[in-house]
């Protein structure tokens, strides 16, 4: 699969072993990063190949390897073109990467396995949904608020509220601006 992002393309590849992933990263001629390297129970391996400045002769490639732990979901990518940022959620963390220079912009650690993103541009932030809650953060990685309670089964944004439904607890609505519970 190829994804277009500004003047770049992103190719996503699933690999069978960590050795295969490390070998591909080692062969990269520009820059490579390995995410989830410290994961204990590694079970799946992904390679993201960014072709930077596509269409130009000699365009560079940035390669990101991701090791996911047993029981985690497939890594989730959020493209934020306004600031040329790729946000990646996997295992119990979220990282922001600037493809142009291959540098980390930020890293956030969650209390449980990451699930998905909700981009809330009118509020100026991103919601990172994880197994037992949510973290609101800016595209610079500044945490604005967090809410943890129970296993999240459903979530949605409606107007200025985030509604969360849980496995064994009553549903809640949170004010998007500050994360407080509202009725």
């Amino acid at each position: 699969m190829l994804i277009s992002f500004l003047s770049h393309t992103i190719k996503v590849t699933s690999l069978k072993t960590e050795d295969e992933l490390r070998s591909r990263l080692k062969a990269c001629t520009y820059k490579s990063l390995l995410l989830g390297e410290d994961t204990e129970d590694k079970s799946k391996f992904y390679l993201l190949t960014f072709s930077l400045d596509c269409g130009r002769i000699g365009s560079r490639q940035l390669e990101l390897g991701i090791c996911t732990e047993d029981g985690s979901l497939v890594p989730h990518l959020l493209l934020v073109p306004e600031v040329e940022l790729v946000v990646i959620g996997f295992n119990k963390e979220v990282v922001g990467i600037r493809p142009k220079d291959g540098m980390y912009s930020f890293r956030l650690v969650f209390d449980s396995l990451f699930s998905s993103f909700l981009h809330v541009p009118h509020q100026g932030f991103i919601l990172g949904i994880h197994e037992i809650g949510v973290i609101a953060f800016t595209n610079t990685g500044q945490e604005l608020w967090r809410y943890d309670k129970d296993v999240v089964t459903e979530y949605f944004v409606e107007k200025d509220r985030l509604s969360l439904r849980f496995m064994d607890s009553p549903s809640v609505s949170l004010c998007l601006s500050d994360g407080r519970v509202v009725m």
Side-chain angles (χ1 to χ4, degrees):
M1 171 191 302
L2 289 177
I3 303 165
S4 294
F5 175 58
L6 301 171
S7 64
H8 319 305
T9 59
I10 307 168
K11 181 179 180 183
V12 181
T13 308
S14 178
L15 302 171
K16 294 187 188 299
T17 67
E18 183 177 358
D19 288 340
E20 184 181 6
L21 177 60
R22 287 182 179 277
S23 174
R24 297 277 294 270
L25 291 173
K26 191 175 181 179
C28 181
T29 57
Y30 173 58
K31 187 160 192 168
S32 64
L33 297 170
L34 181 57
L35 307 176
E37 186 172 20
D38 298 332
T39 301
E40 290 183 22
D41 296 323
K42 298 173 188 163
S43 66
K44 294 191 177 156
F45 308 93
Y46 301 90
L47 180 68
L48 305 178
T49 303
F50 292 78
S51 294
L52 307 173
D53 300 320
C54 283
R56 288 188 167 175
I57 295 174
S59 68
R60 302 163 293 150
Q61 287 194 330
L62 164 67
E63 294 196 323
L64 296 177
I66 303 172
C67 300
T68 61
E69 66 184 65
D70 191 32
S72 67
L73 298 175
V74 172
H76 194 127
L77 273 71
L78 175 67
L79 307 175
V80 189
E82 309 84 61
V83 291
E84 201 162 338
L85 182 71
V86 175
V87 184
I88 304 168
F90 64 99
N91 300 339
K92 293 179 181 177
E93 60 187 283
V94 167
V95 296
I97 304 284
R98 296 184 313 263
K100 204 162 206 127
D101 60 11
M103 300 297 292
Y104 285 96
S105 179
F106 64 84
R107 178 176 180 255
L108 296 170
V109 177
F110 288 31
D111 293 330
S112 61
L113 291 173
F114 173 82
S115 174
S116 66
F117 293 116
L118 286 174
H119 191 202
V120 192
H122 67 279
Q123 293 281 341
F125 59 79
I126 300 164
L127 297 172
I129 308 296
H130 59 98
E131 191 174 25
I132 61 166
V134 59
I135 297 176
F137 60 95
T138 66
N139 58 24
T140 61
Q142 177 188 359
E143 184 177 315
L144 301 172
W145 54 264
R146 75 170 51 210
Y147 184 86
D148 296 324
K149 185 170 185 170
D150 186 11
V151 175
V152 176
T153 59
E154 188 177 351
Y155 52 89
F156 55 93
V157 171
E158 200 168 49
K159 297 184 182 178
D160 63 344
R161 295 181 179 189
L162 170 66
S163 294
L164 297 171
R165 294 198 175 125
F166 302 101
M167 184 177 289
D168 296 317
S169 299
S171 300
V172 297
S173 287
L174 306 175
C175 179
L176 281 175
S177 63
D178 59 12
R180 69 185 153 77
V181 176
V182 291
M183 299 301 157

